[in-house]
Amino acid sequence: MAAISLRKLNKHYGSLFHAVKDVDLEIADKEFVALVGPSGCGKSTTLRMIAGLEDITSGDIRIGDRIVNDLPPRDRDIAMVFQNYALYQHMSVYDNLAFGLRNKKTSEAEIKAAIDRAAGMLGLHELLARKPKQLSGGQQQRVALGRCIVRNPEVFLFDEPLSNLDAKLRAQMRIEIKRLHAAIPTTSVFVTHDQVEAMTLGDRVVIMRDGRVQQVGTPLQVYGKPANKFVAGFIGAPAMNFVTATVRSDGGATTVEAAGLKLSVGDAEARALGAYNGKSVIMGARPEHLALGEGASGLGFDARVEVVEQLGSEILLETRVGSHGITVARVPAETVIARGDQVRISAQPGRLHFFDPDTELPITG
Amino acid sequence: MFGEQQRFMLFLIAPAALLMLLFQVLPIMIGANASFRNWALYNPKKTWVGLEHYYAVLSDPAFLYVVLPNTFLFMILSVAGALVAGLALALLLNRPFRGQKLVQTILLVPLMVAPVVAAIMIRWIFNDQFGIVNVVLEAIGLEGQPWLVQRWSAFGIILLTDIWLWTPWFTLLLLAGLQSLPKEPFEAAAIDGTTTWRVFRYLTLPMLRSVIVVCVVIRAIDAFRTFDIVWTLTGGGPGRSTELFSLYAYVHAFLNLDLGRGSAAAIIGGLIILVIGVALYRLVDRIAKA
């Protein structure tokens, strides 16, 4: 049993840099939580504080029923996977896996059994005699995973473990980690700057920015109900389109208008936007919620195609609407379309997001 | 005959090549030539005697049973001592503490002292009549020792002086080596619950191995030809009991003015260093590839 609980966690470097600000987070036993955010957002520092590799400036970290603030890493019963694998280069794979157990003076027979089990799970058997130098990046990272598994710790910590791998391997390892977590359910914290990794791996996703937690939620929650404009723009690829628009409400119908754009909104949204009549809001629309053609009435607009990105499975269409910005839409791959074409694009009803331009918080009814 | 680029390269190399030729190659040739002749300043006929000097050196009991063992013992103990002390200090300095920069600077002082100056200092410290060591010993009721007049205490003092002089050099290079090691394996080891000793034994030492070996090779070759501190501290005495190979050659060539014999000794020493050097470099190569 090892839930992790962070209370009012802070980290200062000197007096100038406040890396982690008042982070509160409850991670349930056996839960897989992904910490995601742009570089410098404090996610790695938070993880390293849980590991005990960084001192905490203030606040509490609890693992299981112990406050571990001042415990050295070795007493926290954790295992960690590093971005650059951090294998012991001069030892064979077997010795790498055995090192942590030998520290605990485990018998060689038990060590062998544990390594056999882990090697079976990760397909490491034929690599056991090799040195890390003779392995590919993906194999090295599997060894690093194995080193964690054999220790059978209460908590797994992952510090951007996939970012040194190429895209194909990354996708493969992602699945492997997911399978591993299903096979040995262990409380896990996974730090990444890649929102796809965070979304696919995390039972819950924690989005951080400038040392603060922006939102904690399931992948569907952070995607569907982002807590602010930052989260809305960070989660989802390609990123959400934002347009500054003015709310016009006369009698029954409410519309949002920008140059070249006039969309009428549904009842629920109209109620939410009631207080903003005549004022500007930030409107957000995800590329996957924009489609070619007229669509529902009042939700279409004209655009000029600027870039066509054919991905095979779909096309990303970068268009210019009126005088302002680029809007990206995802359209079927077979669509015949070229740069310079004038197209009609429509938004899916009920899929528009609105944010207050000052607070950047969502405007909801 | 050469292209413009080649000519330019030759032009750049020329000064260094000329210096090497004049001050290294030529003296070695002259010395080698001298080693085959009866070449004494009082007898300038330079009669060719073939390998007679080599035979004389290699059958000289002083050379075989005092000078050579002394030289090797000195080389091994001095390098080992400075390596251990240097590594210990480097490990100490590798973790931040208050006043670390100050300590680091102070530790480097021996490196800035000329060996001869250090040797004179040490000689006075261990002087049997007015040296501070004996004064202190007598003040606490112990008997003063004639440090530099007994073979093994004199040898020990020479060793300590050399170790003192060279420890900072090891410290500096090993510290640079330590600071260039990746942090993550050590963090992984900390999480794995590794004791300090096991971290040192299984991580630090193996990761630092190539730096250590290079330091040892350079320093071993250098230690083999140590001259200044021995000459200043004991002059090879008492008797000839602390004489090293370089003193042996020096005494024959420049005190006895027997340039032939001195040169032969120097050439023998040179050959020994060559063999040791090649062997050590092979070792480095093997370790670097491991």
Side-chain angles (χ1 to χ4, degrees):
Chain A
M1 287 297 289
I4 302 174
S5 152
L6 312 180
R7 300 255 165 81
K8 291 260 164 288
L9 197 60
N10 278 280
K11 175 72 184 180
H12 291 266
Y13 289 102
S15 54
L16 287 176
F17 187 47
H18 195 173
V20 174
K21 300 168 187 162
D22 285 335
V23 167
D24 284 303
L25 185 61
E26 301 291 330
I27 301 168
D29 184 37
K30 298 185 171 46
E31 189 181 19
F32 199 115
V33 164
L35 291 184
V36 65
S39 47
C41 72
K43 57 192 189 298
S44 271
T45 308
T46 304
L47 187 81
R48 291 170 59 82
M49 286 193 284
I50 299 174
L53 296 172
E54 297 285 345
D55 295 332
I56 65 179
T57 308
S58 68
D60 279 326
I61 300 177
R62 197 183 276 272
I63 298 178
D65 45 15
R66 294 182 302 170
I67 288 185
V68 297
N69 292 7
D70 301 315
L71 282 186
R74 64 169 176 276
D75 294 330
R76 299 190 181 196
D77 202 7
I78 51 174
M80 183 155 164
V81 182
F82 293 81
Q83 177 174 357
N84 54 11
Y85 326 129
L87 297 176
Y88 310 130
Q89 290 296 331
H90 49 278
M91 294 182 201
S92 69
V93 169
Y94 186 93
D95 288 336
N96 262 284
L97 296 175
F99 195 70
L101 293 175
R102 286 185 181 142
N103 284 337
K104 291 196 274 188
K105 302 210 160 51
T106 316
S107 77
E108 286 296 323
E110 276 177 66
I111 290 177
K112 187 165 183 330
I115 291 178
D116 262 346
R117 199 173 60 100
M121 253 186 259
L122 294 164
L124 292 174
H125 272 302
E126 60 275 33
L127 307 178
L128 288 177
R130 293 209 211 153
K131 295 262 174 81
K133 239 191 285 184
Q134 302 163 301
L135 305 179
S136 69
Q139 290 171 325
Q140 291 197 40
Q141 199 53 289
R142 272 216 289 280
V143 175
L145 279 177
R147 188 168 62 180
C148 293
I149 296 173
V150 294
R151 296 239 336 269
N152 193 23
E154 294 273 24
V155 175
F156 282 140
L157 303 176
F158 300 86
D159 191 2
E160 308 216 11
L162 308 183
S163 26
N164 281 10
L165 305 176
D166 63 52
K168 198 171 170 189
L169 258 177
R170 206 179 307 161
Q172 213 173 312
M173 286 300 288
R174 216 163 62 203
I175 294 169
E176 203 143 337
I177 290 176
K178 190 134 186 142
R179 189 181 298 144
L180 207 64
H181 187 250
I184 350 173
T186 305
T187 314
S188 302
V189 186
F190 188 101
V191 163
T192 176
H193 61 263
D194 179 352
Q195 54 98 17
V196 176
E197 273 169 31
M199 296 289 276
T200 50
L201 283 168
D203 295 326
R204 280 191 304 157
V205 178
V206 178
I207 296 117
M208 289 184 72
R209 178 203 196 184
D210 295 337
R212 283 190 200 284
V213 171
Q214 304 292 306
Q215 187 174 7
V216 183
T218 64
L220 217 52
Q221 282 168 346
V222 297
Y223 176 84
K225 291 198 175 348
N228 55 36
K229 180 180 168 235
F230 172 79
V231 173
F234 192 81
I235 298 294
M240 185 185 278
N241 301 295
F242 291 112
V243 177
T244 303
T246 311
V247 181
R248 299 250 182 262
S249 175
D250 44 29
T254 300
T255 58
V256 281
E257 297 175 24
L261 200 68
K262 183 174 180 184
L263 304 181
S264 50
V265 300
D267 290 346
E269 288 150 328
R271 269 197 302 280
L273 290 171
Y276 287 83
N277 190 10
K279 295 182 194 160
S280 60
V281 294
I282 296 170
M283 180 174 70
R286 295 196 184 276
E288 52 270 38
H289 298 147
L290 297 176
L292 283 179
E294 187 49 59
S297 73
L299 285 172
F301 54 93
D302 292 315
R304 188 162 51 84
V305 176
E306 299 232 314
V307 179
V308 179
E309 288 184 286
Q310 175 61 266
L311 299 181
S313 58
E314 63 185 354
I315 290 175
L316 295 185
L317 223 50
E318 303 199 0
T319 62
R320 184 168 288 275
V321 179
S323 59
H324 62 78
I326 298 292
T327 298
V328 180
R330 300 169 74 161
V331 301
E334 308 78 43
T335 315
V336 180
I337 203 158
R339 183 181 142 79
D341 287 358
Q342 286 289 336
V343 293
R344 185 78 178 161
I345 294 178
S346 63
Q348 280 181 30
R351 292 289 202 164
L352 291 175
H353 297 259
F354 298 97
F355 301 93
D356 183 290
D358 298 322
T359 63
E360 302 202 338
L361 293 174
I363 301 166
T364 52
Chain B
M1 161 167 127
F2 296 116
E4 196 190 338
Q5 201 181 355
Q6 273 86 352
R7 272 201 307 261
F8 183 63
M9 290 196 293
L10 281 175
F11 174 74
L12 288 181
I13 297 168
L18 192 69
L19 279 180
M20 258 188 85
L21 199 72
L22 286 179
F23 292 99
Q24 296 206 15
V25 178
L26 219 56
I28 288 175
M29 308 263 283
I30 294 172
N33 179 33
S35 72
F36 297 112
R37 293 170 187 275
N38 247 340
W39 186 334
L41 285 190
Y42 49 79
N43 177 16
K45 274 187 293 201
K46 308 180 186 173
T47 336
W48 181 268
V49 294
L51 292 173
E52 193 183 290
H53 288 310
Y54 288 89
Y55 183 74
V57 170
L58 291 175
S59 60
D60 181 356
F63 184 77
L64 285 182
Y65 303 120
V66 179
V67 173
L68 270 191
N70 274 355
T71 307
F72 281 111
L73 198 64
F74 176 81
M75 183 174 90
I76 293 167
L77 291 180
S78 158
V79 173
L83 172 66
V84 170
L87 185 57
L89 286 174
L91 287 170
L92 189 76
L93 289 173
N94 194 33
R95 50 185 69 189
F97 58 87
R98 214 180 235 292
Q100 186 226 26
K101 283 270 171 272
L102 188 71
V103 175
Q104 202 168 330
T105 312
I106 291 172
L107 282 175
L108 291 183
V109 166
L111 213 54
M112 300 169 213
V113 178
V116 175
V117 175
I120 292 173
M121 226 163 65
I122 301 279
R123 198 174 69 196
W124 281 104
I125 289 173
F126 285 98
N127 185 292
D128 53 350
Q129 285 168 46
F130 15 77
I132 183 80
V133 171
N134 277 357
V135 171
V136 170
L137 281 180
E138 278 155 26
I140 59 171
L142 294 169
E143 217 174 303
Q145 296 291 323
W147 297 105
L148 292 167
V149 195
Q150 297 164 342
R151 179 179 184 184
W152 291 114
S153 61
F155 193 77
I157 286 163
I158 293 171
L159 255 180
L160 280 181
T161 309
D162 201 54
I163 291 173
W164 180 77
L165 277 169
W166 283 99
T167 296
W169 184 82
F170 274 100
T171 306
L172 211 60
L173 292 178
L174 294 174
L175 185 61
L178 279 174
Q179 286 173 348
S180 70
L181 296 182
K183 262 192 355 244
E184 289 82 2
F186 293 95
E187 293 182 340
I191 289 173
D192 273 348
T194 320
T195 56
T196 314
W197 167 250
R198 274 174 66 84
V199 169
F200 176 73
R201 168 73 185 76
Y202 292 103
L203 291 178
T204 316
L205 217 46
M207 288 164 88
L208 213 54
R209 193 168 59 172
S210 52
V211 181
I212 292 177
V213 173
V214 170
C215 284
V216 166
V217 170
I218 295 175
R219 194 41 214 137
I221 293 171
D222 198 46
F224 189 85
R225 36 168 222 183
T226 305
F227 176 80
D228 40 14
I229 63 164
V230 188
W231 187 247
T232 318
L233 271 169
T234 67
R240 305 179 65 172
S241 61
T242 57
E243 202 168 299
L244 302 185
F245 140 78
S246 56
L247 269 80
Y248 183 87
Y250 178 83
V251 166
H252 276 291
F254 298 111
L255 290 190
N256 303 346
L257 298 180
D258 187 348
L259 294 177
R261 178 89 177 265
S263 297
I267 297 273
I268 290 172
L271 290 176
I272 295 175
I273 298 185
L274 197 68
V275 171
I276 296 175
V278 168
L280 285 174
Y281 271 114
R282 288 249 170 93
L283 186 75
V284 176
D285 211 37
R286 231 185 35 218
I287 285 177
K289 278 183 194 144

